[in-house]
């Protein structure tokens, strides 16, 4: 058999992981992916390329069919997709979509007892806990495991994965997570979504800080690219300054992570803060800024397009 990427080799129905000697034998599980969008597509491709049996479903079938050349089986319905699955990954737009797919499209009923649902969507912690409770009533395990790293991380297998649920289920999912990125078990059900909200608060606010700072520099006559270069390596250095700062300099706002999704995450953070009795004035301010950007036509651009909203506000009358 030919070698598999990232140190995996297929041997009958098992894999040998050779990143660290001695090799550890890993059983390839039967996986179903529900949701083949910007993130789901590269994640599914990585599973296929590693030789894991994968079934996929998407509301728009044409998106799911993009994984067929990589070896995935395309199912006609979500319920059919999960009938033989040991692990089901959901990568959907929001909590309502996850609930609809799991409980209105027959997925929960079609799953075998003992199956594991890994919700890698970004939803509210309260929704994740409720989904876990309803699945547990059917003998189905659940992890909420949202990710950070965007399409670049999904393609390269370097996603940051924040998992909430039991330690036993996390260990069960670890071989799968290893194909997609770096996973951390952060607590019980809902804790993964709390970690993702914290991540998105930091990302959204930092994009705003980088945007406003570079706009100020440009309006004062400085070269934005040179300013970004000058402050990198100092205390202002960050992944946002590196990646999103470069997008701002190049005025490249093609969607990698949609501004509308960033707005959704900021609103989820505020709703969760209210549930926990936490005052979050900085997040509230940036929710208003992202909402304004959405209203002015930037919703379907990358979230770094918050720069465009700030530039619009500072345009000559």
């Amino acid at each position: 058999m030919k070698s598999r990427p990232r140190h995996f080799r297929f041997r009958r129905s098992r894999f040998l992981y050779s990143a660290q000697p001695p090799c550890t034998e890993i059983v390839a599980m039967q996986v179903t992916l529900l949701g083949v969008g910007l993130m789901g597509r590269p994640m599914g491709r990585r599973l296929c390329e590693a030789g894991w049996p994968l079934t996929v479903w998407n509301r728009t079938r044409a998106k799911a069919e993009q994984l067929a050349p990589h070896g995935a089986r395309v199912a006609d319905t979500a319920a059919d997709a999960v009938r033989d699955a040991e692990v089901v990954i959901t990568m959907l737009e929001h909590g309502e979509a996850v609930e609809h797919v799991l409980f209105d499209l027959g997925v929960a009923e079609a799953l075998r007892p003992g199956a594991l649902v890994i919700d890698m969507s970004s939803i509210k912690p309260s929704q994740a806990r409720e989904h876990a409770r309803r699945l547990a009533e059917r003998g189905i395990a659940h992890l909420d495991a949202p990710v950070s790293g965007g399409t670049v991380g999904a393609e390269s297998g370097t996603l940051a994965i924040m998992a909430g649920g039991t330690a036993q289920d996390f260990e069960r999912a670890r071989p799968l997570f290893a194909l997609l990125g770096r996973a951390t078990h952060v607590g019980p059900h809902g804790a993964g979504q709390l970690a993702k909200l914290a991540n998105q608060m930091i990302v959204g606010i930092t994009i705003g800080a980088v945007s406003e700072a570079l706009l100020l520099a440009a309006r004062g006559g400085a070269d934005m690219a040179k300013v970004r270069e000058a402050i990198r390596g100092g205390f202002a250095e960050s992944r946002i300054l590196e990646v999103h700062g470069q997008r701002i300099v190049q005025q490249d706002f093609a969607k990698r992570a949609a501004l509308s999704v960033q707005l959704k995450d900021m609103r989820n953070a505020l709703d969760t803060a209210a549930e926990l009795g936490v005052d979050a004035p900085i997040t509230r301010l940036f929710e208003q800024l992202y909402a304004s950007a959405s209203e002015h036509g930037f919703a379907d651009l990358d979230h770094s397009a918050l720069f465009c909203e700030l530039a619009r506000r500072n345009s000559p009358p």
Side-chain angles (χ1 to χ4, degrees):
M1 291 282 184
K2 71 176 185 178
S3 295
R4 300 285 172 177
R6 287 179 64 100
H7 311 293
F8 283 88
R9 296 200 311 277
F10 190 63
R11 181 174 292 178
R12 295 189 177 94
S13 63
R14 294 177 179 268
F15 292 84
L16 294 182
Y17 179 65
S18 56
Q20 295 291 337
C23 291
T24 301
E25 203 168 20
I26 297 174
V27 177
M29 295 175 282
Q30 179 69 49
V31 180
T32 291
L33 172 63
L34 304 177
V36 186
L38 286 174
M39 295 293 290
R41 184 167 57 253
M43 292 165 65
R45 187 169 62 246
R46 289 192 63 80
L47 293 173
C48 287
E49 289 174 350
W52 286 48
L54 182 69
T55 299
V56 294
W57 172 86
N58 195 77
R59 182 180 58 181
T60 304
R61 183 184 173 93
K63 292 183 178 181
E65 288 175 344
Q66 293 176 9
L67 287 175
H70 299 279
R73 182 180 76 86
V74 180
D76 291 325
T77 68
D80 287 342
V82 305
R83 293 192 192 283
D84 296 321
E86 297 172 82
V87 177
V88 174
I89 298 173
T90 50
M91 179 54 85
L92 301 165
E93 187 174 359
H94 45 64
E96 290 74 17
V98 175
E99 181 174 354
H100 176 67
V101 169
L102 288 180
F103 302 109
D104 296 335
L105 298 186
V107 167
E109 291 86 349
L111 279 166
R112 298 180 300 181
L116 172 62
V117 172
I118 305 176
D119 184 14
M120 304 188 84
S121 319
S122 295
I123 69 175
K124 295 180 182 179
S126 58
Q127 291 173 319
R129 289 190 292 268
E130 177 63 10
H131 297 165
R133 183 192 66 77
R134 293 177 67 179
L135 289 170
E137 291 175 349
R138 296 178 173 273
I140 300 164
H142 176 276
L143 292 172
D144 52 287
V147 303
S148 180
T151 54
V152 173
E155 289 164 359
S156 61
T158 57
L159 292 170
I161 305 168
M162 300 148 268
T166 69
Q168 180 180 6
D169 289 331
F170 177 77
E171 291 302 320
R172 182 177 169 190
R174 191 187 287 276
L176 185 150
F177 288 152
L179 294 170
L180 303 177
R182 176 182 58 84
T184 304
H185 182 220
V186 295
H189 295 296
Q193 297 298 344
L194 281 169
K196 179 60 186 289
L197 289 181
N199 179 86
Q200 291 304 92
M201 291 164 72
I202 294 168
V203 167
I205 291 166
T206 308
I207 287 174
V210 170
S211 297
E212 193 166 87
L214 292 180
L215 179 63
L216 174 70
R219 288 297 171 88
D223 183 322
M224 276 202 302
K226 294 296 184 181
V227 170
R228 173 180 168 274
E229 180 183 336
I231 61 180
R232 291 200 62 198
F235 281 170
E237 177 66 290
S238 70
R239 181 71 170 157
I240 298 297
L241 179 62
E242 176 191 355
V243 175
H244 296 77
Q246 183 67 9
R247 293 175 191 173
I248 291 167
V249 166
Q250 296 177 338
Q251 297 292 282
D252 174 12
F253 301 112
K255 182 171 65 176
R256 287 87 164 181
L259 187 143
S260 60
V261 173
Q262 181 69 59
L263 174 59
K264 178 261 296 183
D265 290 338
M266 301 303 261
R267 287 174 170 168
N268 282 349
L270 288 175
D271 288 346
T272 302
E275 291 171 6
L276 298 174
V278 174
D279 185 21
I282 301 173
T283 301
R284 189 177 308 113
L285 170 62
F286 276 89
E287 183 275 333
Q288 294 168 2
L289 290 171
Y290 281 102
S292 182
S294 180
E295 291 166 5
H296 289 103
F298 306 122
D300 290 328
L301 298 180
D302 189 76
H303 50 175
S304 58
L306 183 63
F307 177 88
C308 300
E309 170 63 15
L310 296 174
R312 184 198 67 78
R313 291 175 174 232
N314 285 279
S315 298

